[in-house]
Amino acid sequence: MWIPLEIAQNLLMGVKPIATLAHRHHSTGVNADPVKAREVFELFGRFSPVRGKDILEIGPGHTLEVLAQARVEGAKSCTAIDIVDYRSPDQAGCGGVTFMRYDGRTLPLESSACDLIWSHTAFEHLRYPGQTVKECFRVLRPGGSLIALIDLGDHTFYGVEQPQPDKAFDCLRYPEWLWNLMRWNRSSYTNRLRKSKWIKLFKEAGFVVRHEESQESGPITDALPSLPYLHQFSLEDAVTHVMTVCLEKPL
Ligand SMILES: C[S@@+](CC[C@H](N)C(=O)[O-])C[C@H]1O[C@@H](n2cnc3c(N)ncnc32)[C@H](O)[C@@H]1O
């Protein structure tokens, strides 16, 4: 990674017409693949049924099909919210899903408007994670759930043919000011929060953690002694790569 080039790319992506052009070429993960969308739907469905529920998805990217599936299975309403509109012209009225674009700060929804909030590999991209977690708490009804899968890895090397496994958390090498200067405007920006920090934010917002599961990175566990930038973290924070949580807003 050549830092001046990273900074230049980030500054360019701060120019709106350039960012709009670049968005057309982004991959957002599931990318509206129907098989993968079904898998994500089933993951969310493990924690809470959808029938009769008002559901919000944070950060769907190109994929409105997860919520469209929920509509088919009896959800009362489905809303997708993102900071970028990645919809293709075919998706404009996708399966009864309402799409909203916002600035990534205050969710444009009434308080207690939803029963369920879903998010798949979007929380790690939140520029204002503490605010968004509080906003999720606000827009959920008491007894409602937030289900999120969060990918804690460095997204720099995603899509690279032969990524180096011990670089999975390379983003943690950089001080925050430099990381933001290299990434803030780019889709590969990640907030780099570790597992314990997420759990703290969820609890501080008032959520009860009903379920939490994590996947650790084997290569990082093996390489840990030679990765000094990870030594500031607890072992769990240093090696957790993916976390899935089901949180409840108490009655
Ligand atoms: C890696 S993509 C994941 C897309 C989709 N959930 C999937 O799994 O394919 C991350 C998405 O989160 C969106 N995002 C980033 N910050 C956001 C925010 N504050 N609120 C809502 N969406 C956000 C991005 O624009 C992008 O569409």
Side-chain angles (χ1 to χ4, degrees):
M1 188 140 70
W2 192 48
I3 291 173
L5 181 62
E6 297 291 321
I7 294 174
Q9 285 185 3
N10 183 50
L11 295 177
L12 275 178
M13 286 298 287
V15 181
K16 212 163 172 214
I18 296 177
T20 306
L21 266 181
H23 290 154
R24 291 192 200 152
H25 305 284
H26 283 168
S27 157
T28 57
V30 175
N31 290 319
D33 178 297
V35 175
K36 288 188 193 155
R38 179 75 206 176
E39 284 168 10
V40 175
F41 175 78
E42 281 168 8
L43 168 76
F44 292 145
R46 273 174 47 205
F47 300 102
S48 179
V50 300
R51 185 159 295 281
K53 305 259 171 80
D54 292 310
I55 308 178
L56 171 70
E57 182 176 354
I58 309 251
H62 290 93
T63 310
L64 298 188
E65 286 71 8
V66 180
L67 284 176
Q69 187 68 49
R71 282 293 270 172
V72 171
E73 309 253 345
K76 187 170 159 207
S77 75
C78 289
T79 305
I81 191 156
D82 205 305
I83 55 169
V84 178
D85 184 354
Y86 283 112
R87 288 174 303 165
S88 66
D90 313 345
Q91 282 177 317
C94 182
V97 178
T98 304
F99 177 83
M100 289 176 163
R101 185 175 170 186
Y102 81 128
D103 64 1
R105 290 174 182 263
T106 304
L107 292 172
L109 294 166
E110 300 283 315
S111 298
S112 302
C114 315
D115 303 296
L116 261 181
I117 300 180
W118 288 345
S119 190
H120 185 258
T121 65
F123 268 39
E124 69 271 20
H125 297 284
L126 300 175
R127 271 53 171 191
Y128 309 100
Q131 185 175 359
T132 304
V133 169
K134 283 187 197 149
E135 280 291 286
C136 288
F137 190 84
R138 179 183 68 78
V139 304
L140 269 177
R141 297 190 177 109
S145 300
L146 164 59
I147 301 161
L149 181 144
I150 312 174
D151 180 345
L152 306 176
D154 186 342
H155 288 39
T156 309
F157 306 104
Y158 289 4
V160 172
E161 260 181 36
Q162 285 179 322
Q164 289 171 264
D166 63 349
K167 294 212 178 255
F169 299 151
D170 213 50
C171 55
L172 294 163
R173 282 177 187 277
Y174 305 97
E176 191 168 356
W177 67 268
L178 181 55
W179 180 248
N180 288 347
L181 195 55
M182 295 194 290
R183 289 300 158 103
W184 184 263
N185 299 319
R186 298 168 66 185
S187 60
S188 56
Y189 169 82
T190 52
N191 50 46
R192 308 184 302 166
L193 298 188
R194 299 292 95 194
K195 178 178 169 180
S196 64
K197 182 71 192 207
W198 278 114
I199 299 289
K200 187 163 180 275
L201 285 185
F202 295 140
K203 289 185 176 168
E204 279 171 1
F207 282 109
V208 173
V209 180
R210 286 278 170 242
H211 182 85
E212 179 273 310
E213 60 196 40
S214 305
Q215 291 164 31
E216 294 180 356
S217 164
I220 290 293
T221 307
D222 295 343
L224 199 53
S226 62
L227 302 174
Y229 56 92
L230 295 180
H231 295 169
Q232 60 181 303
F233 301 110
S234 68
L235 178 61
E236 194 178 31
D237 279 350
V239 301
T240 301
H241 199 154
V242 180
M243 61 187 287
T244 306
V245 285
C246 174
L247 312 167
E248 190 179 295
K249 176 169 176 171
L251 287 169

